[in-house]
């Protein structure tokens, strides 16, 4: 899921005695801040404006803030950044923002030109020019280029960065929108080419056409020059589903078409649409399924017994598609996890599979090639000794070229380009064994072994912050149940005294946090002398599906206990003190930081929550929230609200507690996580007279910012806030938190976490 991955938010976990709690319905009825859920209501926006003014006055006037903001803007606009490209036909496309093009340019070049230090680019679509012409705050959300001719595309445009987009057909030769072409009004649509004159469309068709999560539940087949409303229905889901979608592979001679129904966030059914019929791909609904040419690939998230064999959760299986559809359950296992190794991702070239695995949260890359018996394995040259690597296909339909991307906390990104070649096959074409696909055998590579040179280095970004004297180390904290929780620490080498430290986490939706070159954290936190820590807590995907499932629903407290264990370990190791330890997280990570506020206010000197979830009683009623009930639970079910309430920060605020200073930021245009979460939490903390700072960007969607200037401002606010509150500590530098890392707080212990 490299592109278009929905970035979803985790929840705050506080476990209290439920016998003393009011009924859930009563709690909702008594919420005095429901009016703040009116996103564009006059009273709500007046409330937002007043707090924005206070925050600007408190944080944005300082000379340090202005210098940091301006530097962040220069970094984000820098021409020294790598212009990442994607191939479509003869062109290599890139989307680029800088000071002269704040909304961005969609542009293209050739590979030979890209190899130059200063390539010449051809502008395809100028978003700033379009926004000015149409008097709209357009944000470019990508494009889908039609295969195999690459002449037309569908452009996705968002107002202010929201998830909802307007779709327009665009001519890539004339470089203009197609008059009378395919268009769709603003909606959370799923659209794909089904042919040169046909679209597969899932969108808002009017009343009753959306799921309870606010996503499409109907797919239509739309022919050019016909009315969308009259187009035949290809598939229809239920109101309770998360969404439905459809797509097609048009770039090769197989031409598969698919329909998918997301039952909940973690379960979906997928059908092959062939000859007017839907053929169910009979794999576990929890598995991730893909088809390329004549092979099926299944990545398991739960154990599965098929054909008399049990395959482990986290495994990657493959089989020839047609025999599978006829009932065969003979699989090749391309990857099987271990307790410390998981599958981060895989990418398909025309003849090979590139595996990206995590070994104790460090990437390893290898290439698999089908042979007469089994699959041959070999590493890509130049991929050893790095913590963060990714390799992925350039154009799987056309060949075996790949990109190699390498970066680290202190290692600026580099981009290389290579090809996985083949030796001469040892058998004649067509004599492959049962484990090799027919198309591969016909092309004479049944026994091919990848034999190729090191990839060509295309681009390297220079250092954009000073890392002199910094080092990266990996450590392991012990959580309450004995589980080892890895975390990365980046900071001054040889420091002997505790200092300001920023702890970042996420812990949800099987999303892995891996080392990355974070230029703003480097310039804004590391360079001035801070220490940065990245925690790999349960709920994420660092050790595969089991690591994620360990913190689902009633077991959510595990993620928070893991995070607390890391914080306590940092204090135990004298990296920092409680007063100098800050915590930051966004979306699901915002829920995490909210729970840190309510669970262990004594453990942190400052808390930053970005586009967060806070109100877990109503999250499923707000925007896309219903789609996350498979992660958090259903608050309308009394037995589930009983445990959800424990990690709902909004309901666990205590007027008697001494909370550290808090900064909450969000976006009015966030149509994924409702800004009401942030607004209501801030209002409640204000009523309790706690130290709370709030800023709501009018644009930005779930990303929180719509352009580089907005991003620079929002991040400068966060780091100014952290430095103001964490720069000094008047307490004993060696003091440990009250719990000393030996026992969890009593109110966390409900027994659910031990299941």
């Amino acid at each position: 899921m490299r592109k278009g991955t929905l970035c979803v938010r985790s929840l705050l976990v506080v476990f209290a005695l439920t016998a003393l709690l009011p009924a859930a319905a009563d709690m909702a009825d008594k919420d005095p801040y429901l009016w703040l859920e009116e996103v564009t209501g006059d009273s709500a926006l007046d409330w937002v404006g007043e707090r924005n003014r206070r925050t600007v006055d408190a944080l944005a006037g300082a000379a340090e803030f202005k210098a940091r903001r301006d530097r962040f803007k220069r970094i984000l606009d820098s021409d020294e950044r790598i212009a990442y490209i994607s191939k479509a036909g003869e062109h290599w496309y890139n989307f680029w923002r800088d000071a002269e093009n704040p909304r961005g340019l969609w542009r293209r070049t050739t590979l030979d030109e890209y190899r130059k230090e200063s390539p010449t680019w051809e502008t395809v679509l100028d978003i700033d020019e379009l926004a000015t012409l149409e008097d709209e705050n357009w944000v470019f959300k990508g494009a889908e280029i039609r295969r195999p001719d690459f002449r037309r595309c569908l452009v996705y445009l968002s107002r202010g960065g929201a998830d909802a987009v307007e779709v327009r057909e665009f001519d890539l030769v004339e470089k203009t929108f197609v008059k009378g072409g395919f268009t769709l009004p603003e909606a959370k649509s799923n659209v794909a080419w089904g042919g040169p004159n046909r679209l597969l469309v899932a969108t808002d068709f009017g009343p009753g056409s959306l799921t309870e999560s606010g996503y499409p539940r109907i797919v239509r087949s739309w022919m050019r020059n016909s009315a969308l409303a009259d187009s035949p229905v290809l598939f229809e889901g239920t109101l309770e589903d998360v969404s439905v979608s459809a797509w097609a592979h048009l770039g090769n001679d197989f031409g598969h078409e698919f329909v998918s129904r997301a039952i909940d966030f973690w379960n979906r059914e997928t059908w092959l649409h062939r000859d007017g019929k839907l053929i169910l791909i009979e794999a576990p609904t929890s598995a991730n399924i893909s088809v390329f040419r004549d092979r099926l690939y299944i990545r398991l998230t739960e154990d599965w017994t098929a054909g008399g064999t049990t395959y482990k959760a986290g495994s990657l299986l493959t089989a020839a598609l047609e025999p599978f559809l006829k009932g065969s359950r003979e699989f090749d296992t391309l990857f099987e996890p271990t307790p410390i190794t998981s599958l981060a991702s895989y990418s398909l070239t025309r003849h090979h599979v590139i595996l990206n695995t995590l070994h104790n949260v460090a990437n390893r890359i290898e290439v698999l090639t089908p042979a007469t018996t089994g699959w041959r394995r070999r590493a890509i040259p130049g991929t050893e000794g790095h913590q963060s690597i990714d390799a992925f296909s350039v154009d799987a339909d056309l060949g075996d070229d790949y990109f190699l991307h390498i970066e680290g906390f202190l290692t600026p990104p580099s981009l290389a380009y290579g090809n996985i070649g083949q030796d001469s096959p040892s058998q004649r074409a067509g004599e492959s064994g049962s484990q090799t696909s027919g198309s591969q055998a016909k092309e004479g590579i049944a026994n091919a072994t990848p034999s190729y040179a090191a990839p060509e280095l295309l681009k390297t970004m220079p250092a954009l912050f000073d890392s002199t004297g910094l080092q990266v180390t990996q450590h392991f904290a012990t959580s309450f149940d004995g589980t080892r929780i890895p975390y990365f620490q980046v900071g001054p080498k040889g420091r002997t005294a505790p200092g300001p430290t920023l702890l970042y986490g996420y812990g949800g939706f099987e999303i892995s946090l891996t080392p990355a070159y974070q230029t703003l954290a480097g310039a804004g936190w590391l360079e001035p002398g801070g220490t940065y820590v990245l925690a790999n807590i349960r709920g994420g995907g660092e050790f595969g599906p089991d690591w994620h499932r360990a913190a689902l629903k009633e077991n959510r407290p595990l993620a928070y206990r893991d995070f607390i264990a890391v914080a306590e370990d940092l204090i135990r190791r004298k990296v920092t003190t409680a007063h100098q330890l800050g915590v930051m997280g966004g979306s699901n990570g915002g829920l995490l930081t909210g729970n840190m506020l309510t669970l262990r206010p004594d453990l942190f000197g400052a808390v930053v929550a970005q586009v967060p979830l806070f109100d877990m009683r109503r999250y499923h009623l707000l925007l896309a929230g219903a789609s996350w009930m498979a992660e958090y639970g259903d608050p309308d079910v009394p037995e589930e609200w009983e445990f959800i309430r424990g990690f709902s920060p909004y309901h666990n605020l205590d007027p008697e507690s001494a909370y550290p200073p808090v900064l909450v930021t969000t976006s009015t245009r966030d149509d994924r996580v409702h800004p009401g979460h942030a607004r209501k939490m801030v209002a409640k903390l204000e009523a309790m007279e706690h130290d709370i700072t709030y800023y709501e960007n009018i644009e930005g969607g779930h990303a929180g910012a719509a352009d580089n200037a907005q991003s620079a401002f929002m991040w400068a606010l966060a780091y100014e806030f952290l430095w103001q509150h964490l720069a000094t500590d008047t307490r004993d530098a060696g003091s440990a938190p009250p719990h000393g890392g030996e026992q969890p707080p009593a109110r966390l212990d409900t027994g659910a976490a031990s299941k």
Side-chain angles (χ1 to χ4, degrees), residues 546-569:
D546 290 345
W547 193 250
H548 165 242
R549 291 180 178 275
L552 282 180
K553 294 187 176 181
E554 69 271 21
N555 291 322
R556 203 71 189 177
L558 284 176
Y560 306 127
R561 288 180 168 185
D562 291 352
F563 202 69
I564 288 169
V566 173
E568 291 180 335
D569 199 55

Side-chain angles (χ1 to χ4, degrees), residues 424-470:
S424 298
S426 60
Q427 288 186 328
R428 290 179 290 110
E431 294 183 355
S432 62
S434 61
Q435 294 175 319
T436 304
S437 72
S439 66
Q440 289 163 332
K442 289 177 182 177
E443 296 182 37
I445 63 159
N447 278 323
T449 300
S451 176
Y452 42 91
E456 168 197 1
L457 182 63
L458 290 176
K459 302 290 178 182
T460 298
M461 188 173 81
L464 295 182
F465 66 90
D466 185 2
S467 61
T468 304
L470 298 177

Side-chain angles (χ1 to χ4, degrees), residues 52-67:
N52 282 359
R53 284 188 289 273
R54 292 181 199 169
T55 298
V56 169
D57 290 343
L59 297 177
E64 294 86 353
F65 169 86
K66 294 177 180 178

Side-chain angles (χ1 to χ4, degrees), residues 40-114:
T40 57
D42 290 341
S43 296
L45 289 181
D46 287 344
W47 182 93
V48 167
E50 174 59 30
R51 277 138 196 88
N52 282 359
R53 284 188 289 273
R54 292 181 199 169
T55 298
V56 169
D57 290 343
L59 297 177
E64 294 86 353
F65 169 86
K66 294 177 180 178
R68 189 174 292 119
R69 177 202 60 198
D70 293 346
R71 184 175 178 198
F72 285 179
K73 178 69 161 51
R74 289 194 300 272
I75 288 173
L76 294 172
D77 286 338
S78 172
D79 288 339
E80 295 181 311
R81 292 170 294 144
I82 295 177
Y84 291 100
I85 53 175
S86 59
K87 184 176 183 295
E90 298 178 354
H91 297 288
W92 301 75
Y93 287 83
N94 163 261
F95 183 70
W96 185 258
R97 287 184 179 135
D98 57 24
E100 295 181 2
N101 306 281
R103 293 285 166 171
L105 294 174
W106 191 34
R107 58 189 190 171
R108 64 192 179 192
T109 189
T110 65
L111 184 58
D112 286 341
E113 189 68 28
Y114 183 74

